[in-house]
Amino acid sequence: MMNAFVQKFTEAAHGQGISNLEFYFETEKKVSVNAHEGRAFESQQSNVTSCHVQGEYQGKAGAISVEDFSEEFFEEEIQFLKMAAEMKNIPFKALNLASTECKKEWKLNTLDKMTEHVLRTEKQVLKEYPELKKISSCHLGETVREIRILNDRGVCMEDSIKFAHVWVNATAEKDSVVQISGNDATACMMEDLRLQALFEEAAKDACGMLDARPAASGKYPVVLKNSVICEMLSMYISAFGADSVNKKISKLAEKKGESIASEIVSLVEDPMLPGGVNNRSFDDEGTPTSKKALIENGVLKLFLYNKEEAEKTNGQTTGNGFKNSYKGKPEIGVTNVRLEGQKKSREDLIREMQDGLYITHCDGMFAGADVVSGDFTLISKGYFVENGQMTGGVNQITVAGNFYDMLKEIGAIGNDYLTSLTGTGAFVAPSVFIKQLVVSGS
């Protein structure tokens, strides 16, 4: 279908003075199931292909989005492309493409298998936690995303990714006190999600919060759970983007080659990460991707560039031009960003901290975190830690600090990796011990 569309559309567009056509195809195949209190509902299967077409008309760049590939719309689409070129009046710049063949083969699980997996796990967890009232909601899905970039000169680049995602909310009740706790994870395959452990952790946290109380206000050593670290990395990754640096809105500007974090901190972008959920051989501008260190032993090593930002500084793109939507232009994004860990379990971090707080959830990250300044104030909950052991739940607190200062306060890094996939990219991180953060409570 795609090749036939490219051939026929090219012929029609060439006949009306449009040249140097480039086609960005995105196909998403999805299967998912939602479960609620022991029954499955809203099962979904889909297979959708969309396309962004760019071409040169009278030296200017015009673009359109296509979701219906019927020839009957060609004339209208071509006229829109020509109008866009005339109105935007932006010089056309062709992508430098080189044919690549995708050899990845993905297969989605069946709805029946996914449904059975979810309901069986839910039933087992409810038996093990008597205070657990219900698994209030659960979503399990798998997605295959295929990317093809073609031009009218016969070049074709192909790549694809597959990921499975689960989120679960557990509700516990005791003496009219109700607590809800959630958990989520992403992996390449459903079988890699450790569904049983994720359900159990959500159940344990919901039950653990039933007797929770606020902590006294003050400064505390803190262990931040892996999910909190992933969320923070996704919030602050823009500080490593050349667009933020060039606009002087990144606190990392002018700090390349300087120590910005504890010497045990290394942050790496790896487009071929074993088990990575966002592995890509090229970005959405056709540039080959590569493994690179953003921070190495605490030292800031580089910034991320797409073609637009590279041209502003007469530099080279780092292969980080990615679309948030097939319709949009490539912004600066990442494949898999991984915080390199140590050989310490989460329990080791808590034991070595001795006294402090283990924070499992932070709410309001987008409202309570300032990407430019690095300041954050987050509504949080978790557990008190005394003599290296979790002793009871803590809630109704806010945890405050500055992300860039916090990087220097990292005292230890765990090995309990979690993967979180966002619109910006995938983030892989373990739990982290922070020497001190400010807590507001009772």
Side-chain angles (χ1 to χ4, degrees), residues 351-384:
R351 183 170 57 252
E352 292 175 6
M353 179 173 65
Q354 280 295 294
D355 298 295
L357 299 174
Y358 168 47
I359 301 299
T360 58
H361 294 86
C362 290
D363 295 329
M365 187 74 71
F366 288 94
D370 188 316
V371 176
V372 177
S373 70
D375 294 335
F376 60 84
T377 303
L378 305 171
I379 300 170
S380 305
K381 61 182 178 180
Y383 294 91
F384 290 98

Side-chain angles (χ1 to χ4, degrees), residues 9 317 425 442:
F9 189 90
T317 174
S442 59

